Amino acid sequence: MNWITNYVRPRINSIFSRRETPDNLWTKCTECGTMLFHRELSDNLNVCTNCNHHMAITPRDRFISLFDGGIFTEVDVPAPIADPLSFRDQKKYPERMKTAQKTTGEKDAMLVGRGEIGRTPIIAAAQDFSFMGGSMGMYVGNAIIAAAEEAVKLKRPLVLFSAAGGARMQEGILSLMQMPRTTVAIQMLKEANLPYIVVLTHPTTGGVTASYAMLGDVHIAEPNALICFAGPRVIEQTIREQLPEGFQRAEYLLDHGMLDRVTSRTEMRDELITITRMLMGLTPPVKGDLPAPDANPDADSEAADAT
């Protein structure tokens, strides 16, 4: 009896017991509720294959899909003062920073890289909304200045992907000072006759919209992205009126002349290649490479004649 209880029964249970499935294999679309397999979702750049809803994507994953072969070199950004105001709410500011850095694996809310897209050298900068809401602090200001300086030095266009809830309250007035600083950085590009292209992603709000996110030569937005200074809820409470459907979404702003294009993330790379090459006065992009010519074509023709 002990042999059956202690050995046979556990063996049978282990054979027929249900295997546990990892929790991260499926992602539920927040728009349509479709369960998406993680590999299918990542291959489609975090865009729902059922309803085309654009989910959040990290700057590194965006750069991997943007640059040729996923290869880029990170541009160094000067580190600002860690806690200039000794700010504290429920937690100290340094504690919030450490938590965000541990969660995202990034130094701050913006990543800057240089590389090629479709053989076109560019400088790219992308905000990370998962890092304290992508808020604009001194580091973000330093990152945009570093990106602009690198673009001017290498004579490359700058492509910026914005995603932010506004300025970072933990840095107070120092955060708001990044608005004129980044405006001056963009002016450096214009004086050097270099294109500045902005891709507005969901959401782009507050002081970011009021500064560098709306100073581009070309403005492209991802579908249904919220782009505004003050959000619809705040405006409705202020003017006490019902706003139009889709107010401050990408498609609404395109219809009212605030944007140049609304482009799906899966088509964004080709769009950026075409626009950057056109603005830089380069030849049209190469879609593919032809096979290399034979080293000795005469020998091949002689062999064909012999047969």
Side-chain angles (χ1 to χ4, degrees):
M1 188 66 180
N2 291 337
W3 176 75
I4 295 175
T5 304
N6 297 334
Y7 181 77
V8 176
R9 185 175 295 171
R11 290 286 293 176
I12 293 174
N13 290 338
S14 65
I15 292 172
F16 292 101
S17 62
R18 184 178 180 181
R19 295 182 180 179
E20 294 184 0
T21 303
D23 295 333
N24 59 350
L25 288 182
W26 297 88
T27 301
K28 185 177 181 179
C29 176
T30 55
E31 190 70 18
C32 66
T34 303
M35 296 300 294
L36 304 167
F37 187 53
H38 72 105
R39 191 173 301 166
E40 177 187 19
L41 184 61
S42 61
D43 289 345
N44 206 41
L45 305 181
N46 282 16
V47 178
C48 178
T49 55
N50 182 57
C51 68
N52 199 42
H53 175 60
H54 284 52
M55 304 180 193
I57 185 171
T58 65
R60 288 193 183 274
D61 288 341
R62 189 184 290 276
F63 281 1
I64 289 172
S65 66
L66 177 70
F67 288 107
D68 295 347
I71 300 172
F72 66 94
T73 302
E74 191 171 343
V75 175
D76 293 331
V77 177
I81 301 172
D83 187 12
L85 303 180
S86 300
F87 190 94
R88 177 170 184 170
D89 49 301
Q90 294 178 343
K91 291 182 180 180
K92 293 182 179 179
Y93 181 35
E95 293 178 7
R96 292 193 180 277
M97 286 291 292
K98 289 179 181 178
T99 301
Q101 290 169 348
K102 184 178 180 180
T103 303
T104 62
E106 301 293 346
K107 298 177 184 177
D108 211 295
M110 181 163 280
L111 179 67
V112 183
R114 62 173 177 267
E116 294 185 350
I117 57 171
R119 301 180 182 177
T120 309
I122 69 162
I123 305 297
Q127 280 182 276
D128 188 358
F129 190 76
S130 60
F131 194 107
M132 297 183 69
S135 51
M136 176 183 63
M138 289 187 293
Y139 186 94
V140 171
N142 289 347
I144 295 175
I145 293 173
E149 290 177 342
E150 190 78 2
V152 171
K153 182 176 71 173
L154 299 178
K155 293 181 172 56
R156 298 184 179 186
L158 174 59
V159 179
L160 186 140
F161 297 85
S162 64
R168 185 170 296 177
M169 67 174 186
Q170 288 88 350
E171 295 182 13
I173 189 64
L174 298 175
S175 174
L176 297 179
M177 287 296 294
Q178 307 315 306
M179 296 172 65
R181 290 185 75 217
T182 54
T183 302
V184 172
I186 303 309
Q187 186 61 32
M188 290 168 48
L189 292 170
K190 297 186 182 298
E191 292 176 357
N193 293 321
L194 294 171
Y196 173 50
I197 302 170
V198 182
V199 180
L200 300 110
T201 70
H202 178 77
T204 299
T205 62
V208 172
T209 309
S211 55
Y212 58 86
M214 281 297 177
L215 295 176
D217 300 304
V218 179
H219 292 100
I220 309 172
E222 292 185 342
N224 203 39
L226 177 65
I227 303 164
C228 59
F229 180 74
R233 179 175 53 84
V234 175
I235 295 175
E236 281 189 342
Q237 292 175 351
T238 302
I239 66 175
R240 301 183 185 279
E241 289 186 14
Q242 185 71 29
L243 297 175
E245 185 177 355
F247 183 69
Q248 294 182 322
R249 295 288 175 169
E251 292 77 8
Y252 183 91
L253 298 181
L254 178 65
D255 293 339
H256 289 76
M258 287 190 66
L259 298 175
D260 299 300
R261 305 277 287 179
V262 174
T263 304
S264 176
R265 189 181 298 162
T266 55
E267 301 171 1
M268 188 69 69
R269 171 181 153 84
D270 291 337
E271 182 108 318
L272 290 174
I273 292 172
T274 301
I275 292 174
T276 51
R277 293 188 71 85
M278 180 178 63
L279 293 179
M280 292 295 288
L282 302 174
T283 57
V286 177
K287 293 297 184 180
D289 293 325
L290 295 173
D294 295 332
N296 190 0
D298 295 336
D300 292 338
S301 61
E302 291 174 0
D305 293 340
T307 55

